[in-house]
Amino acid sequence: MATLALVAAHAQVGIGTVSRVLNDSPNVSPEMRERVRRSMEAVGYSPTRRKRAGQVRRGGLIGVLVTYFDEPSAYQRIRGIVSRLQPHGYEVVLFNVAAPAQVSERLVEIPQHSLDGLIVISLPLGSADGERLATSSFPTVLVDTTSPSLPSVCIDDRLGGRMATQHLVDLGHTRIGFVGEPANNAFGFQACANREAGYRAVLEEAGLGPSPELVRHGAHLRSAAKQMTLDLLHLPDPPTAIVATSDVQAVGVLEAAASLGRRVPDDLSVIGYDDIELASLMNLTTVRQPLEGSGRRAADLVLEAIATATRPQLAEELQIELVVRSTTGRHR
């Protein structure tokens, strides 16, 4: 059966454009509308049947379940989601989870709302929770987390940790510290643990350790990262470079270096992760992941599921890249 993705590929446009045509959005030119409709005919896509089967609702509600929605990375993902959904008349309902105990409450509460779809950001789900959402009355898409029962949009965090550490090794650093969250954190987040695994793998391959004394774990807070860095920099043989598992933590690393009069990057190279908007303002070297792009892609998958009355079953991996700025330099 022809899908929205097949139509988009034939027309050489994004899924969002096809969905806008299906929903009679005014934000599509007549030429583009005709082009998409010709592609629908060419691949055998029946919009009338699909709409009837999927009960597409204009002006409906899409839920977003997120932890710490005020975190810069979460905010940018939500911004990407909203930018895709608003042209289709959908409003976003935010379900924030501030503590692990709230997870089960939210998962019980959410199905009681008249949602057309749900996007879950970063929150690890148990198998039972994933299966429950997979069989709910609305489609669910995961961002920055996975479940065997649900489609997801993620990145390779282990690769990201490797990229960050390899950059510092290539610059000649041999004492490379690490600042991140512990693997046994309250929510069960795995991103930092995977980034640390990449860090360790590169150091082992380079014959550099890793040395346990150069690794620090703490809360995902700028203040915590600053304290962890102060500990590292007070070692008898301190690191000459530090990998932080987020840009927020990297800012704490930079603050600690400044408080001790350490010059960046002459005395200490620092690399973050995410490439939030603050990173470019601070000229921070970082591993860029497509934060807004992941939100847009998740929204596209939800729109497709609504329009076609199908549930996509795929794990989609987005690309990451190293962004070199002024906080890393050669070891001196």
Side-chain angles (χ1 to χ4, degrees):
M1 184 177 292
T3 66
L4 213 63
L6 186 59
V7 175
H10 187 276
Q12 296 184 324
V13 298
I15 290 176
T17 299
V18 179
S19 183
R20 282 191 284 274
V21 172
L22 282 171
N23 292 323
D24 298 322
S25 170
N27 299 318
V28 182
S29 68
E31 295 79 9
M32 181 59 70
R33 193 180 304 277
E34 181 60 27
R35 175 177 166 183
V36 170
R37 285 174 175 166
R38 284 199 302 268
S39 291
M40 289 178 184
E41 293 177 3
V43 302
Y45 184 92
S46 176
T48 303
R49 184 178 72 247
R50 291 290 193 171
K51 284 188 178 184
R52 189 163 54 245
Q55 293 295 296
V56 177
R57 295 170 52 191
R58 301 183 66 181
L61 303 175
I62 304 295
V64 175
L65 178 62
V66 60
T67 54
Y68 308 122
F69 75 95
D70 53 348
E71 279 286 315
S73 59
Y75 169 75
Q76 286 184 229
R77 286 192 170 102
I78 293 171
R79 187 163 65 187
I81 291 169
V82 171
S83 71
R84 269 295 197 265
L85 296 178
Q86 279 190 338
H88 300 279
Y90 286 101
E91 296 293 335
V92 169
V93 180
L94 190 65
F95 299 93
N96 185 48
V97 176
Q102 288 184 319
V103 175
S104 58
E105 296 176 9
R106 287 285 189 249
L107 291 175
V108 170
E109 172 191 353
I110 285 173
Q112 299 175 11
H113 293 260
S114 298
L115 299 178
D116 293 298
L118 175 68
I119 297 173
V120 179
I121 300 177
S122 299
L123 187 66
L125 298 176
S127 57
D129 294 329
E131 291 173 5
R132 186 180 305 116
L133 289 175
T135 57
S136 66
S137 60
F138 48 77
T140 298
V141 175
L142 309 181
V143 178
D144 192 38
T145 186
T146 61
S147 172
S149 306
L150 295 165
S152 61
V153 179
C154 294
I155 61 168
D156 186 342
D157 280 304
R158 183 183 175 92
L159 173 62
R162 289 185 63 92
M163 292 169 65
T165 311
Q166 189 64 56
H167 172 61
L168 297 175
V169 170
D170 291 344
L171 290 172
H173 295 278
T174 58
R175 296 280 290 174
I176 302 175
F178 178 88
V179 170
E181 282 186 280
N184 60 342
N185 58 84
F187 278 105
F189 297 132
Q190 290 302 305
C192 286
N194 291 335
R195 294 168 194 177
E196 182 176 351
Y199 156 84
R200 291 178 176 276
V202 168
L203 293 185
E204 288 172 359
E205 292 165 7
L208 299 176
S211 173
E213 69 174 354
L214 294 181
V215 176
R216 292 290 185 278
H217 296 123
H220 188 263
L221 297 170
R222 191 177 75 186
S223 58
K226 178 180 179 180
Q227 185 56 55
M228 288 186 279
T229 304
L230 290 173
D231 291 343
L232 288 171
L233 296 181
H234 279 110
L235 290 172
D237 187 10
T240 62
I242 291 178
V243 173
T245 57
S246 74
D247 292 339
V248 170
Q249 291 166 312
V251 172
V253 175
L254 293 172
E255 288 180 330
S259 71
L260 296 178
R262 305 292 176 89
R263 297 168 301 164
V264 175
D266 294 345
D267 301 323
L268 180 70
S269 283
V270 180
I271 185 168
Y273 202 108
D274 289 333
D275 199 29
I276 60 176
E277 292 177 340
L278 181 63
S280 61
L281 294 175
M282 299 193 69
N283 221 9
L284 174 69
T285 296
T286 188
V287 175
R288 173 186 292 159
Q289 63 167 312
L291 294 170
E292 287 194 39
S294 65
R296 291 193 297 268
R297 182 59 184 142
D300 283 342
L301 291 174
V302 168
L303 289 170
E304 179 179 2
I306 293 170
T308 63
T310 61
R311 302 294 177 95
Q313 294 295 326
L314 76 159
E316 188 166 325
E317 187 176 289
L318 303 183
Q319 296 300 306
I320 56 178
E321 62 178 312
L322 177 69
V323 180
V324 180
R325 298 191 178 107
S326 68
T327 61
T328 53
R330 297 202 65 81
H331 175 51
R332 301 187 180 188

